[in-house]
Each structure stands twice: as structure tokens, then as C-alpha cells.
Amino acid sequence: MTNGDDIRPSPEAMLKLAQAEEVKAEVGKLKIFLGYAAGVGKTYAMLEAADLRKQEGRDVVVGYVESHGRFETDSLLAFTGLEIMPRKLVEYQGVQLAELDIDGILARRPQIVLVDELAHSNAPGCRHEKRWQDVEELLAAGVDVYTTVNIQHFESLNDVVAQITGVVVRETVPDRLLDLAFEIKLIDISPEDLLQRLKEGKVYIPAQAAKAMEKFFRLGNLMALRELSLRRAAARVDDQMRAYMETQSIAGPWPTAERLLVCVSGSPFSERLIRSTCRLAEELKAQWFTVYIETPGGGRQLQENRERIWRDLRLAESLGAQVATVTAADITDAVMEYAVRHNVTKIVMGKPNKPRWREILQTPIADRIIRRSGAVDVVIVSFDQEDTAATASVHRRSRPLKLTGYAGCLMLIAAATLLCELLRPFLAPTNMVMFYLLAVVVASVRLGRKPAIATAFFGVLAFDFFFVPPRLTFVVADTQYLLTFLGLFVVGVVISSLVARARERAEAMRTREVQTASLYYLSRDLAASVDTDAVLKAVVRNVEEALNAQVVIFLPEGERLDIMAASDELTLDIKEQAVADWAFRNNHQAGRATDTLVSANLIYLPLQTTTGVLGVMGVLMQREQDYHAQDNRRLLEAFATQAAMAMERIRFSRQAEQAQILQARENLERALLNSISHDLRTPLSSVTGVLTCLKDEGEHLSDHARQELLDNACNEAERLNRFVGNLLDMTRIEAGAVRLNREPCDVQDLVGCALAALESRIEGREISFRMLSDLPLVPMDLVLMTQVMVNLVDNSLKYSPVGTPIEITAAADSEWLTLELRDHGPGVSEHDLRRIFDKFYRIPVPEGAGGTGLGLSICKGIVEAHNGRIVAENLPSGGLRIELRLPLNTAKG
């Protein structure tokens, strides 16, 4: 059995707690000794804590402790007798650097390890670049870690510390380590005591101490850093407390720190409430929130006051409040839920100014919140009576009475009365009540809540006057009809309220659905966009369709903004472009319906991401009230955010692509160096060796030996020349510098020139040439095509067994010359076959064979320059077949 008042943790809170406990069970615990500057005693306190753990029987070792020569620290380290793990020596630029030995610690597997200076950067050559990464690996292995760090080393405070001290801290650690720590021990001494320690040489040696006091260790800097460390530690404790309250379902609040909440409603007094709350928060040094509760029943009110609500929220945000908009059915429930969830201690509200009779009919929201507040204080702000009356008078005058709905309710009453009069001979008076109820329902659906209530009231009067005896008077002979009148009116009011509320909720849901659909369509289009132009076109099209507006998008080009996309009929003058430029440079909304440069025709929103402002989106709406509609402004900001994220995604994709290109280029250069270094050095070494031998011992050599050496040098020089020629040819082909000297050539001359160039390489190999038909003269560059044939035949000689024949076949049809070369080697694997014409790609070569991997790539380039094609395939019987085709007509291709 459970009590209805029992408060249970939410499923989300329980899941979060279970996940946190599961993570804690699997990894080691991190304890951080946090200080605000060097010399406050972090390492000393860590050693004291480690000594206590050792006395408790825990296995504690010193992984890395840096005393910086401080006598007290060295003495305590020696006194504790803790086991000190050997450090890892890393050689860097001829110097031996001692670093944390992770492998040694993991092999030792202690329960607790001390690791000093969490923000330290490891020497090049270590496993991790930063020491905090070493700590994360130790924690992941289940080893508890005690570590020290100063507040200025945390990443989120880097710019703040630089602004305070004028010193940019280069060694930083991520803030998540504070959240990861199971305990943070704040080591704190007064700045005056720290400066005294510095003067006494207990922090740095005298020369370093004097320099530090001039720059970093100034009293103002130390006071500011101390406050930062205290606040950061307090924030961590506050987060832990709120997490505990959430998982334990403690309603709270716990007034450990003041938090203020003020609600805005579109009232003329909301601005004063916000300013009063801001002053109170400054006095209390407290965090404060501003929230607008949007109810389904407040749709009409929202339409009338949306400009004021939007302005009030912007004002609160500019004054430092955290701003939120909450959709809820009941204002009181939403306010109290928000207050409990954010541990609010004070709710600031305005004094009710409604007439007393209205307060009797409907309890003011302030009174309802006071009754529900519990431990939360409610601060009521009063306003001057004259200002209240004047503002209320203006507010009432700003709402003109709409007579159309009330005229419609009178027509419904007349229709119901006429129908009842026609049916009077057949129906009893009490049955006629149903027709008036039907009129109330119709009025609720078609006219709204107040006309429906008026319909219920006038329906009672009409029913009494026309149908209740005595007829045509308001006198009631039978007092039982009074219950009928009361029931008719009450049921009519209830029906009108329920129908009107359902209608307003449906309208709110329809608005949300339209907004959600608009964002979905934009997200879908942006996901399909592959470049910036597609992103900009998608944004312009979706904003035009969703808001019926005209759009322009500016992107930076050098030092100025240029229009990159715009609606077809939108034109901008120099003034509008200047407003867009201001919004871009100041990262702030500007233009119409904003607080800056309001004379502009468009509203300009920066396209902002975490890395900066990428551009500006300007929007021109059809009506003035469209600019102030809160839903429109939300949608515009969502569009701007999604557009910026999509553009950033495109930019990152391009950067990644460029990085891949650079990586590919580096790999290509590396492949070039690797492939040609040996192939170029080998012939050079041979030529150099021959020349050296001839120079030193030439007169002692026989003519035959001298001739062999010269032949060998010539062969190696030709090989070297061929390699260099291939490289130059590849460069010319890639640069598009190949110029063809086409002349009609005989195919037999082409093959003969190629075989003559390879005469020394053929060495008795059988090479056959067949022409399958009478071949015409073919337009080609004979020199380049001879090089193609030389490379193809040389490749076949290299990759086919000695003694096997090589077959060359030529044939022609009406359009193409086909040259086919076959060998009887092992062929090429399918993987290698797909890349056989790639630059610097070489398949595993037989012993003694070599090359740069450019021969076939050059062949492909030359053949394609002739508008031809070249392909390679394996033969079923074994071997490789290479076919190249050249057009017989120079215009072919």
C-alpha cells in the first residue's frame, strides 16, 4: 500500500543513478586536491591523505610527485615511507626527461596511486600527450588516483584567468574531470600567507619568486583566483546536492544558496518585476530565473501581448537571468514544478490589482502560489496606486469590445426560441432546455468562451420569458423551475469553458505542429544538401514557405559581407547592408523589432555556431505584428541555428576533404620517395662505382674488363634516364602539357620502333606480331605511342616467366585501331587489376624486377590524350591481356 502523498523518484532519475553507480563500480575513483596557485599546499595535503590511507591498510604508491625542491614536501614524502614507482625516462633533443610510467603502475596494480600536476604536458614520445590522459587510463583500469591541479588549468576558465592575470595558461585539462572526481578537496590559504611563503622561498627559488611576484603572484590576481576556486568547488557541491535531491525525490528546496524566480505574463508591470528581481539578486549575490508560462487558454492573451512578452524576456536575459518558456495547462503547477526542479528559494510576484469581486470569483495566481509554496519564500512587489490605475485603464482601453460574437449569441438565442415556439404544442417546457444547451455548444465552438457564457445567460432569460408559466413574464409560478434555470446556466458555462479550452488547445497544438513540420522540412532539406549553395537555397525556400516572408543571407567575402542567396523580389539598399554588417560583427540581432538599428526594414539574425559567426540572415515579413510574434521569433532563431550548423557541417566536410587530399598528397610524395629512392640510387651507385673503378684502377684493367664496366655503366645510365623520363612524362601529363604531333603512321613502324628500343631487354625472348587485317595509316604521335609500346612490352617481359612468348596483335574496323598485347605470366589479382593503371602502384614483383609504378599510368595518360582507351584483363588460360584502342578519325572521342 502506498500513500497518495508519497513522492517517488522519476524513472529518468533512477536510470541516471543506476548508470552512475554502474560506471563507478567499473572504474577507479579520482580525488582532486584543488588549489588556486602554486604553493598553497596541494602536494603536501595529498601526501598526508595518502599516509592516512596507508595506515588504514590500503596499498598506496607514488606514481609521480614533484616537490620542486620544497623541504617540507620532501621531508613528508620520506617520512611516509610510501613506495615510489620508478619513472619512465624519455629522451627528447638529447635530454633525459622523467615521466609517469603507466605500464609500470598497471603491472604493479596498486589500490591508490599519487599523480601530481594533472595539467602537465608529457614529453614527445610518451603514450599520451597530457598527464590527465594518463590518469584517465589508470582510472579505466580500476586504479584509484589522487592528483593535484590549480583552478586556472581548467579549460572553461582559461579566458577568464587570462583576463584577470594577463597570463595565458597553455596547459589545460577538461572540466569533465571535476565531474568525474568522487571527491574534491579544496586547499586554501589566504593570499597574504601565500605571498609570505613566496618571499621566504618556500614556493620558488628567490630569483623565480621575485619574477613571479611581479607578474602572476600579485595580491589582486591571487584574490580573484581564490574566489574562482571557491566558487567552482561550491558549484560542484551544489550539482551533487541537486543530483541527490533528484534521485531521492526530495521536493526541496534546500536553501544552501539563494535562487530567485520571476514570472512574466504580458502584464504592463512585468518589466518592473524583472528589474526588482534583478536588484534583489544582486543584493543577495544569487542566481535568478525568468519564466513565461504559456497555457492553452492563454492563446488570445498571447496574441495581444506577445510583443511585450518578447521584450520582457529579452530584458531579463540582458540583465543576466536564465530565461525559459514553459507550456503547461495550469500556471500554478508549472511555476511550482519549475521552482522545485531548479531549487528556487524565492519567487517574486506582483501584488494583485484586480477588483475585489473578481478575486472572489477567481483566486489570484499569487494567492494560489503562496498556498502551494511550502518552503519557498514568496516576495510580493507592490506598485504605486496611481500608476496601477493608470496602467490598468490604458490596458483596458487597449482591448476594444468585440460585438460580433455577442450579436451572434443573440441570433442563436432567437433561433432556439423560434424552434421551441414551433415545437411548443408537442414538447414540455423542461425538454426545450436542450435546444438552449445546443445553442451554448454552437456558441462555444464558433464564437468563443465569453459569447458562449452570454448565450447561457440569455438562454435562461428567454426560456423563462417565453416558455415558463406564466408566459411572457419573468415571474415563475413553480419554484422548481429555479433549479432548471440554475442547471441550464451552470451546464452552459461548464460546456462553454470545456469546449473553448479544447478549441484553444487544438489551436495551440496546430501551431506547434506547423512549427515542428517547418523545422522537419528544413532539417530534411539541409541533410540532403552537399554544398553551401544548396544549404542557402534550402533555408531561403523553407523560411519563405513557413513564414510567408522574404529572405536574404549574407556570408563574409574577405573584409565585407556579400549577398549569397535571396528571395527573387527582395532588394536591399546600402543602409540595410550596413545593418547586416553590424549584426555580423557584433554577433547580435539588429534591425526591425529589435533593440538595435530599429529603422531597418528587415530583422537580421547572426548565423552563429560554437566556432563563431558564419553569416547573417535577414527576413522581411508582411505585417508588423509578425515580427513581434513569439512563435515567429522562435522559429526564426531555430532556422538560423540550423542553417549555421548545416553550413558548419559543410565547412567541416570540406576541411576533412582537404585534409584527406593533403594526406593523399603526403602519401603520394612518400610513395614517390620510397619507390624512386632505391631505383634511382641503384643505377647511380653502379655508374659511380664503375667510374671510380676506372679512375683508380683503369690502367690495370684488361680491355675486356674495361669494356664490361663501361657496358654496365651505360645500361644503368639508360635505366636511370628511363626513370627520370617517366617522372617528367607523368608531370607533363598531369599538368596537361602533353602536345600531340599527330601524323599518319604505319602500325608496323610503331611496333618495330618499340622492339628496337628494347633489343637489349628482349635477350632471346619470343615476341610475335600479327596483323589481322589490312591496316590503314593511323593518326598518332609516333614518339609518344612508341613510348607506350615500350612500357607495355617491358612490363610483359618483367612479369612473365623467361622462355614464354609475348604476342602482339593489331586489327582495325571502320572507326578504331585495336592493339592487343598478351603474355603467359601468372596474371594479376582482381584487387591489383582495378588499380593497375594508378600512379606509383606496383604489384608484387618477381625477384630482380623493379620500377617506379609509373609505366602503365603514363601509358594510360598518353592513350587518353589521343582520345583512346586502354584496359587490362586476365586471360582464362593464364596471363595478362592489355588492349589499347586509338581512333582512326582525329575528331573521334
Side-chain angles (χ1 to χ4, degrees):
M1 294 293 291
T2 59
N3 192 312
D5 295 333
D6 289 346
I7 301 175
R8 300 191 175 207
S10 64
E12 294 80 6
M14 295 301 296
L15 177 60
K16 183 178 179 181
L17 177 63
Q19 291 175 341
E21 291 178 349
E22 182 179 352
V23 171
K24 289 180 181 178
E26 294 178 354
V27 301
K29 294 180 180 179
L30 175 65
K31 182 172 182 177
I32 295 179
F33 293 81
L34 178 65
Y36 66 87
V40 298
K42 302 182 300 297
T43 305
Y44 194 91
M46 180 176 68
L47 289 173
E48 286 183 328
D51 187 42
L52 291 176
R53 301 291 85 78
K54 179 184 176 184
Q55 295 176 19
E56 294 171 358
R58 304 289 298 278
D59 182 13
V60 186
V61 301
V62 175
Y64 191 102
V65 167
E66 182 60 68
S67 66
H68 296 286
R70 297 167 188 150
F71 175 76
E72 296 91 341
T73 305
D74 289 333
S75 299
L76 180 60
L77 180 59
F79 174 77
T80 59
L82 293 171
E83 177 185 350
I84 300 177
M85 297 294 297
R87 298 183 182 181
K88 180 181 180 181
L89 296 179
V90 180
E91 184 173 353
Y92 178 65
Q93 295 184 350
V95 179
Q96 293 282 343
L97 301 177
E99 296 292 352
L100 179 68
D101 187 4
I102 308 177
D103 294 325
I105 296 173
L106 292 177
R108 170 66 172 72
R109 299 292 295 186
Q111 290 179 307
I112 301 175
V113 60
L114 309 186
V115 180
D116 207 359
E117 296 185 353
L118 182 64
H120 172 77
S121 296
N122 293 330
C126 293
R127 182 184 308 172
H128 298 127
E129 183 180 359
K130 300 289 186 179
R131 183 166 292 166
W132 60 263
Q133 295 173 314
D134 298 339
V135 169
E136 285 189 328
E137 182 173 346
L138 293 173
L139 293 173
V143 179
D144 294 350
V145 177
Y146 285 10
T147 188
T148 64
V149 68
N150 287 326
I151 190 66
Q152 62 264 28
H153 291 291
F154 285 99
E155 185 65 45
S156 63
L157 300 175
N158 190 261
D159 55 343
V160 179
V161 173
Q163 183 179 1
I164 293 173
T165 64
V167 177
V168 179
V169 179
R170 302 297 181 186
E171 294 181 328
T172 60
V173 299
D175 289 59
R176 70 169 184 272
L177 290 174
L178 277 177
D179 301 326
L180 183 65
F182 86 101
E183 182 181 352
I184 296 176
K185 186 174 181 59
L186 183 63
I187 311 301
D188 181 53
I189 64 173
S190 68
E192 292 80 5
D193 291 342
L194 179 59
L195 289 175
Q196 183 62 32
R197 286 175 52 83
L198 189 67
K199 292 177 182 178
E200 294 172 355
K202 295 181 179 180
V203 179
Y204 297 121
I205 60 176
Q208 290 180 332
K211 186 176 180 181
M213 292 180 66
E214 291 179 1
K215 294 186 176 181
F216 190 86
F217 280 78
R218 292 181 292 185
L219 183 60
N221 291 350
L222 297 179
M223 293 174 64
L225 292 173
R226 186 188 188 195
E227 182 179 359
L228 279 178
S229 63
L230 292 172
R231 286 184 177 273
R232 191 63 183 86
R236 163 59 192 267
V237 175
D238 185 70
D239 292 339
Q240 290 177 331
M241 180 195 68
R242 292 176 61 188
Y244 177 79
M245 293 174 64
E246 181 181 357
T247 54
Q248 300 297 324
S249 290
I250 298 174
W254 284 356
T256 55
E258 296 288 355
R259 281 190 174 87
L260 278 61
L261 171 65
V262 60
C263 300
V264 297
S265 61
S267 166
F269 308 111
S270 294
E271 182 176 345
R272 298 187 186 183
L273 275 176
I274 291 172
R275 296 187 185 279
S276 298
T277 308
C278 178
R279 290 193 297 271
L280 183 59
E282 289 178 353
E283 293 175 2
L284 298 175
K285 304 298 182 184
Q287 185 181 11
W288 63 294
F289 305 85
T290 300
V291 63
Y292 168 67
I293 309 298
E294 182 179 349
T295 60
R300 190 177 64 82
Q301 184 269 345
L302 175 60
Q303 295 298 321
E304 294 175 356
N305 300 296
R306 53 190 174 183
E307 180 180 354
R308 184 180 291 112
I309 292 170
W310 184 260
R311 186 173 64 248
D312 291 341
L313 292 175
R314 287 295 181 188
L315 172 63
E317 189 173 20
S318 67
L319 293 175
Q322 291 190 22
V323 176
T325 300
V326 178
T327 301
D330 184 80
I331 294 178
T332 306
D333 293 340
V335 170
M336 294 311 303
E337 181 183 354
Y338 189 90
V340 171
R341 189 168 67 248
H342 291 83
N343 204 27
V344 169
T345 58
K346 287 180 173 60
I347 300 176
V348 182
M349 305 194 70
K351 183 179 179 180
N353 61 350
K354 294 181 180 180
R356 193 64 184 168
W357 64 270
R358 292 188 62 183
E359 294 183 2
I360 296 175
L361 294 177
Q362 184 179 16
T363 305
I365 295 176
D367 293 345
R368 285 185 276 164
I369 289 179
I370 290 173
R371 293 193 184 100
R372 294 273 307 275
S373 61
V376 180
D377 297 334
V378 179
V379 180
I380 302 297
V381 179
S382 300
F383 305 104
D384 294 338
Q385 193 66 28
E386 295 180 359
D387 293 343
T388 301
T391 307
S393 176
V394 172
H395 197 51
R396 284 195 297 270
R397 288 198 301 268
S398 65
R399 296 185 181 180
L401 183 63
K402 297 181 180 180
L403 300 177
T404 306
Y406 297 98
C409 87
L410 293 177
M411 293 177 63
L412 286 172
I413 293 299
T417 302
L418 179 60
L419 182 60
C420 289
E421 180 64 27
L422 294 175
L423 298 175
R424 188 168 60 84
F426 310 101
L427 296 176
T430 52
N431 293 329
M432 297 177 185
V433 173
M434 297 297 105
F435 293 100
Y436 289 101
L437 286 177
L438 178 62
V440 172
V441 173
V442 174
S444 301
V445 174
R446 306 295 298 179
L447 304 178
R449 177 178 299 176
K450 290 184 177 180
I453 295 175
T455 302
F457 177 74
F458 288 119
V460 170
L461 295 180
F463 176 66
D464 180 22
F465 187 80
F466 290 104
F467 303 109
V468 174
R471 297 182 62 232
L472 304 180
T473 68
F474 290 104
V475 179
V476 179
D478 189 351
T479 56
Q480 293 184 1
Y481 276 107
L482 295 178
L483 294 176
T484 304
F485 297 157
L486 180 61
L488 174 60
F489 181 73
V490 172
V491 172
V493 171
V494 172
I495 290 176
S496 64
S497 299
L498 293 177
V499 172
R501 182 174 297 181
R503 181 185 179 188
E504 290 165 351
R505 288 184 177 179
E507 182 66 22
M509 292 178 62
R510 188 191 68 82
T511 303
R512 291 284 186 269
E513 181 182 1
V514 170
Q515 294 177 354
T516 303
S518 301
L519 292 175
Y520 165 73
Y521 293 139
L522 177 62
S523 301
R524 181 191 61 185
D525 293 344
L526 292 180
S529 301
V530 295
D531 55 27
T532 303
D533 291 338
V535 168
L536 299 182
K537 291 178 181 178
V539 173
V540 170
R541 182 175 62 256
N542 282 273
V543 175
E544 288 176 343
E545 294 175 356
L547 299 174
N548 195 21
Q550 293 179 303
V551 191
V552 60
I553 298 180
F554 297 85
L555 295 182
E557 285 290 334
E559 295 296 326
R560 60 189 180 90
L561 286 179
D562 280 351
I563 298 177
M564 294 300 178
S567 300
D568 295 336
E569 301 178 357
L570 182 60
T571 57
L572 300 177
D573 55 17
I574 298 178
K575 174 185 173 183
E576 297 292 330
Q577 297 187 22
V579 177
D581 185 73
W582 187 94
F584 174 76
R585 298 189 183 282
N586 293 274
N587 190 19
H588 193 277
Q589 293 185 13
R592 200 166 181 176
T594 66
D595 54 1
T596 306
L597 303 173
V598 295
S599 61
N601 294 326
L602 285 75
I603 179 173
Y604 296 93
L605 296 91
L607 303 178
Q608 182 184 5
T609 65
T610 54
T611 59
V613 182
L614 304 183
V616 174
M617 181 176 70
V619 181
L620 176 64
M621 298 188 181
Q622 292 187 347
R623 300 176 301 174
E624 178 65 25
Q625 55 265 36
D626 292 339
Y627 290 97
H628 302 285
Q630 190 174 2
D631 290 338
N632 289 348
R633 295 291 283 269
R634 287 180 189 165
L635 204 57
L636 274 179
E637 291 183 348
F639 282 165
T641 301
Q642 291 210 27
M645 293 175 62
M647 292 168 58
E648 188 174 46
R649 173 179 59 82
I650 297 296
R651 188 180 67 176
F652 285 161
S653 298
R654 289 183 176 177
Q655 291 177 354
E657 183 179 353
Q658 291 175 356
Q660 290 178 351
I661 293 174
L662 291 176
Q663 183 65 37
R665 182 178 298 174
E666 291 178 1
N667 293 338
L668 185 63
E669 294 173 352
R670 191 180 300 112
L672 173 62
L673 292 175
N674 291 338
S675 62
I676 70 174
S677 59
H678 177 267
D679 292 322
L680 291 179
R681 182 176 296 176
T682 299
L684 278 175
S685 299
S686 299
V687 172
T688 302
V690 169
L691 294 178
T692 302
C693 184
L694 291 176
K695 177 182 177 182
D696 296 340
E697 302 179 7
E699 58 186 16
H700 303 294
L701 296 175
S702 63
D703 293 340
H704 178 71
R706 188 183 297 109
Q707 186 62 40
E708 284 186 352
L709 290 174
L710 291 174
D711 291 341
N712 184 40
C714 288
N715 292 334
E716 294 299 328
E718 289 177 0
R719 178 182 172 189
L720 178 62
N721 182 63
R722 187 162 60 252
F723 286 158
V724 175
N726 284 340
L727 292 174
L728 294 177
D729 291 340
M730 196 70 250
T731 302
R732 291 171 55 206
I733 291 173
E734 288 189 336
V738 176
R739 298 291 182 267
L740 300 181
N741 182 22
R742 278 197 175 98
E743 293 180 351
C745 299
D746 190 343
V747 177
Q748 295 187 69
D749 293 341
L750 171 65
V751 177
C753 291
L755 296 180
L758 292 170
E759 184 175 358
S760 60
R761 290 272 291 122
I762 294 175
E763 297 178 353
R765 293 285 295 272
E766 179 184 349
I767 299 179
S768 62
F769 173 61
R770 290 188 306 148
M771 293 190 299
L772 302 182
S773 59
D774 293 334
L775 301 180
L777 297 178
V778 182
M780 70 177 77
D781 188 316
L782 183 60
V783 175
L784 293 179
M785 288 306 301
T786 300
Q787 183 178 354
V788 170
M789 291 302 299
V790 168
N791 288 345
L792 293 179
V793 174
D794 182 64
N795 194 71
S796 297
L797 291 172
K798 187 185 304 180
Y799 289 95
S800 61
V802 177
T804 59
I806 297 173
E807 302 168 0
I808 303 175
T809 306
D813 54 23
S814 59
E815 297 181 349
W816 299 92
L817 166 70
T818 303
L819 281 171
E820 181 182 293
L821 187 144
R822 299 187 179 204
D823 62 43
H824 294 273
V828 179
S829 68
E830 292 297 326
H831 171 73
D832 294 327
L833 195 61
R834 289 192 296 267
R835 302 185 57 188
I836 196 171
F837 293 104
D838 291 350
K839 291 179 296 183
F840 302 110
Y841 186 78
R842 293 187 294 182
I843 62 175
V845 297
E847 184 178 357
T852 61
L854 289 174
L856 294 182
S857 180
I858 292 173
C859 293
K860 182 181 179 182
I862 294 176
V863 171
E864 290 179 349
H866 283 79
N867 295 326
R869 292 190 290 270
I870 184 170
V871 295
E873 64 178 5
N874 287 315
L875 295 171
S877 58
L880 185 68
R881 170 181 173 270
I882 297 180
E883 177 188 279
L884 67 87
R885 307 184 72 192
L886 297 177
L888 297 179
N889 184 357
T890 55
K892 186 72 177 173

